[in-house]
Amino acid sequence: MAVKRARAAMSCVDAAFLRVKNVFSNGLPVYMSFSGGKDSICMADVVYKLIQRGEIDPAQLTLIFIDEEAIYDCVIDMTMQWRKKFLLTGAKFRWYCLPLKQVSCFNQLTNDESWITWEPGKESVWVRQPPPFAIRSDPHLSGVGKMNYQSFLPHVTKDGIMMTGVRAAESVQRLQYMSNLGIGRPGITGTNTIYPIYDWKDNDIWLYIRDNHLDIPEAYLWLYQSGVSRPALRISNFFGIDSLQGLRHVAETDPKLWAQIEKREPNAYMTLLYWDSELYKRSTRKRTKSEGQDDKDYKELVRKMLFEDYAKLFTNPTTRNVCQRYRRCYTKIDGIARPRDYRKMHDALIAGDPKLRTLRAIYQDVYGAYADYAKKFRVQEGGGQNG
């Protein structure tokens, strides 16, 4: 279980500046992943300010943007601005438009939980066209849809150090992932990746944006106005789990873009119909009201799905792997899991969990709650003995 420790005397912002300077001090090529999102913009601004001060050499730097095709125009506009700024400093900027595999939250019903960005042969239904300067092929790419961006990036950055704006506070899964990597202790990951803003909280991001007068994609404002909480303000491709709620806003405000999205992903309409349901792992008052009193035995439902009906429910390699991992979890947590943990498992199996993010969160929740209970029990027992 990941353990959060108190922050050192140095502020997280000052620490990020120091980490970036240390990366450049090695004299190796430095790569920086850029997404156009709020975290990426903050990290880019840290790097840009150090270049302006003359404290790092822009000739070492190459920014990498993996264009996911189905993303907001305002994200593309923001990326264009930062591309221009960094090119003027003498840094390099690679804009990739490649046929990479992406997870889709809409294709569970069609026995396929993925889609391919910039897929050859589907040019007529692409959400948008790639810019003329985009990199459309790469020798490290093993084939159409054979790699995702996580497996592709280490191949093109292996001669240097990779910086990315991933933060531990974004989710329990990322906290656990970084804890396993040893982030925060001396050293670097096995893929030569470093996370300069790993310890920034959500408030740190928004304060940095405000204090440094940074522009952000308007999509964040649209999502906030539509009721998305600040911790949930994330932007990814339209078919990823982080952007599903934003699709409802697109359908209401941008009919032209929505028509293109439906053309690219015919199942996108499901967000409008089933957003507040188990299909998207929602646990809201609206779902409770629409579904009525919930008296289901989720432990038994999960057991039946995993051990009796698995052959007809999990029918491709990805879902079969998910089934096996959830079986293992079901066995491990038996006796210490709570009803709500089994409900999370049930909803995740219904909606799909190809990246196993929900599974990792379930492990964290179950073992975290059990550890808290055990500690409380030991304290009570100790108090009784002393008394």
Side-chain angles (χ1 to χ4, degrees), residues 107 127 163 169 217 223 231 239-240 292 352 357-358:
N107 293 339
V127 176
M163 299 191 303
L223 292 172
F239 312 135
R357 289 176 174 174
T358 302

PDB file of all heavy atoms in Angstrom, residues 107 127 163 169 217 223 231 239-240 292 352 357-358:
ATOM      1  N   ASN A 107     -16.758   0.322 -26.831  1.00  0.00           N
ATOM      2  CA  ASN A 107     -16.784  -0.867 -27.668  1.00  0.00           C
ATOM      3  C   ASN A 107     -16.929  -2.180 -26.907  1.00  0.00           C
ATOM      4  O   ASN A 107     -16.677  -3.236 -27.455  1.00  0.00           O
ATOM      5  CB  ASN A 107     -15.522  -0.911 -28.529  1.00  0.00           C
ATOM      6  CG  ASN A 107     -15.501   0.216 -29.546  1.00  0.00           C
ATOM      7  OD1 ASN A 107     -16.531   0.775 -29.876  1.00  0.00           O
ATOM      8  ND2 ASN A 107     -14.324   0.554 -30.021  1.00  0.00           N
ATOM      9  N   VAL A 127     -11.783  12.311 -37.115  1.00  0.00           N
ATOM     10  CA  VAL A 127     -12.418  13.457 -36.473  1.00  0.00           C
ATOM     11  C   VAL A 127     -11.863  14.772 -37.033  1.00  0.00           C
ATOM     12  O   VAL A 127     -12.583  15.754 -37.181  1.00  0.00           O
ATOM     13  CB  VAL A 127     -12.224  13.394 -34.942  1.00  0.00           C
ATOM     14  CG1 VAL A 127     -12.798  14.649 -34.264  1.00  0.00           C
ATOM     15  CG2 VAL A 127     -12.899  12.141 -34.390  1.00  0.00           C
ATOM     16  N   MET A 163      10.932  13.397 -19.620  1.00  0.00           N
ATOM     17  CA  MET A 163      10.185  14.089 -18.573  1.00  0.00           C
ATOM     18  C   MET A 163       8.700  14.064 -18.934  1.00  0.00           C
ATOM     19  O   MET A 163       8.331  14.292 -20.086  1.00  0.00           O
ATOM     20  CB  MET A 163      10.637  15.547 -18.442  1.00  0.00           C
ATOM     21  CG  MET A 163      12.081  15.730 -18.068  1.00  0.00           C
ATOM     22  SD  MET A 163      12.462  17.456 -17.606  1.00  0.00           S
ATOM     23  CE  MET A 163      11.945  18.343 -19.091  1.00  0.00           C
ATOM     24  N   ALA A 169      -1.100  12.692  -7.343  1.00  0.00           N
ATOM     25  CA  ALA A 169      -2.393  13.083  -6.778  1.00  0.00           C
ATOM     26  C   ALA A 169      -3.555  12.892  -7.739  1.00  0.00           C
ATOM     27  O   ALA A 169      -4.710  13.039  -7.347  1.00  0.00           O
ATOM     28  CB  ALA A 169      -2.345  14.554  -6.341  1.00  0.00           C
ATOM     29  N   PRO A 217      -6.752  25.241 -22.154  1.00  0.00           N
ATOM     30  CA  PRO A 217      -7.831  24.970 -23.114  1.00  0.00           C
ATOM     31  C   PRO A 217      -9.197  25.297 -22.528  1.00  0.00           C
ATOM     32  O   PRO A 217      -9.474  25.003 -21.361  1.00  0.00           O
ATOM     33  CB  PRO A 217      -7.680  23.464 -23.378  1.00  0.00           C
ATOM     34  CG  PRO A 217      -6.244  23.174 -23.101  1.00  0.00           C
ATOM     35  CD  PRO A 217      -5.873  24.067 -21.957  1.00  0.00           C
ATOM     36  N   LEU A 223     -16.232  22.072 -19.016  1.00  0.00           N
ATOM     37  CA  LEU A 223     -16.495  20.953 -18.123  1.00  0.00           C
ATOM     38  C   LEU A 223     -16.879  21.439 -16.730  1.00  0.00           C
ATOM     39  O   LEU A 223     -17.808  20.913 -16.106  1.00  0.00           O
ATOM     40  CB  LEU A 223     -15.262  20.053 -18.043  1.00  0.00           C
ATOM     41  CG  LEU A 223     -14.902  19.277 -19.315  1.00  0.00           C
ATOM     42  CD1 LEU A 223     -13.553  18.580 -19.145  1.00  0.00           C
ATOM     43  CD2 LEU A 223     -15.970  18.262 -19.655  1.00  0.00           C
ATOM     44  N   PRO A 231     -11.268  18.254  -9.038  1.00  0.00           N
ATOM     45  CA  PRO A 231     -10.374  17.093  -9.109  1.00  0.00           C
ATOM     46  C   PRO A 231     -10.616  16.213 -10.343  1.00  0.00           C
ATOM     47  O   PRO A 231      -9.728  15.469 -10.752  1.00  0.00           O
ATOM     48  CB  PRO A 231     -10.696  16.327  -7.821  1.00  0.00           C
ATOM     49  CG  PRO A 231     -11.266  17.356  -6.904  1.00  0.00           C
ATOM     50  CD  PRO A 231     -12.022  18.300  -7.777  1.00  0.00           C
ATOM     51  N   PHE A 239     -12.867   9.286 -26.489  1.00  0.00           N
ATOM     52  CA  PHE A 239     -13.370   7.954 -26.195  1.00  0.00           C
ATOM     53  C   PHE A 239     -12.731   7.354 -24.947  1.00  0.00           C
ATOM     54  O   PHE A 239     -13.003   6.207 -24.599  1.00  0.00           O
ATOM     55  CB  PHE A 239     -13.144   7.035 -27.401  1.00  0.00           C
ATOM     56  CG  PHE A 239     -13.585   7.669 -28.697  1.00  0.00           C
ATOM     57  CD1 PHE A 239     -12.785   7.597 -29.833  1.00  0.00           C
ATOM     58  CD2 PHE A 239     -14.770   8.371 -28.777  1.00  0.00           C
ATOM     59  CE1 PHE A 239     -13.181   8.199 -31.019  1.00  0.00           C
ATOM     60  CE2 PHE A 239     -15.172   8.978 -29.960  1.00  0.00           C
ATOM     61  CZ  PHE A 239     -14.376   8.895 -31.085  1.00  0.00           C
ATOM     62  N   GLY A 240     -11.864   8.115 -24.282  1.00  0.00           N
ATOM     63  CA  GLY A 240     -11.254   7.669 -23.039  1.00  0.00           C
ATOM     64  C   GLY A 240     -12.152   7.984 -21.858  1.00  0.00           C
ATOM     65  O   GLY A 240     -13.018   8.866 -21.913  1.00  0.00           O
ATOM     66  N   GLY A 292     -33.740   2.610  -8.357  1.00  0.00           N
ATOM     67  CA  GLY A 292     -34.478   2.197  -7.184  1.00  0.00           C
ATOM     68  C   GLY A 292     -33.587   1.646  -6.090  1.00  0.00           C
ATOM     69  O   GLY A 292     -32.364   1.760  -6.136  1.00  0.00           O
ATOM     70  N   GLY A 352     -16.042  -2.617 -18.204  1.00  0.00           N
ATOM     71  CA  GLY A 352     -14.739  -2.928 -18.785  1.00  0.00           C
ATOM     72  C   GLY A 352     -13.629  -2.214 -18.029  1.00  0.00           C
ATOM     73  O   GLY A 352     -13.781  -1.061 -17.628  1.00  0.00           O
ATOM     74  N   ARG A 357      -7.185  -0.246 -14.082  1.00  0.00           N
ATOM     75  CA  ARG A 357      -7.078   0.887 -13.165  1.00  0.00           C
ATOM     76  C   ARG A 357      -8.012   0.713 -11.974  1.00  0.00           C
ATOM     77  O   ARG A 357      -7.623   0.947 -10.822  1.00  0.00           O
ATOM     78  CB  ARG A 357      -7.414   2.188 -13.905  1.00  0.00           C
ATOM     79  CG  ARG A 357      -6.367   2.624 -14.911  1.00  0.00           C
ATOM     80  CD  ARG A 357      -6.835   3.865 -15.646  1.00  0.00           C
ATOM     81  NE  ARG A 357      -5.798   4.406 -16.515  1.00  0.00           N
ATOM     82  CZ  ARG A 357      -5.992   5.416 -17.354  1.00  0.00           C
ATOM     83  NH1 ARG A 357      -7.187   5.987 -17.438  1.00  0.00           N
ATOM     84  NH2 ARG A 357      -4.998   5.862 -18.107  1.00  0.00           N
ATOM     85  N   THR A 358      -9.256   0.317 -12.252  1.00  0.00           N
ATOM     86  CA  THR A 358     -10.210   0.134 -11.165  1.00  0.00           C
ATOM     87  C   THR A 358      -9.778  -0.995 -10.249  1.00  0.00           C
ATOM     88  O   THR A 358      -9.922  -0.915  -9.026  1.00  0.00           O
ATOM     89  CB  THR A 358     -11.606  -0.155 -11.728  1.00  0.00           C
ATOM     90  OG1 THR A 358     -12.012   0.921 -12.588  1.00  0.00           O
ATOM     91  CG2 THR A 358     -12.629  -0.290 -10.603  1.00  0.00           C
TER      92      THR A 358
END
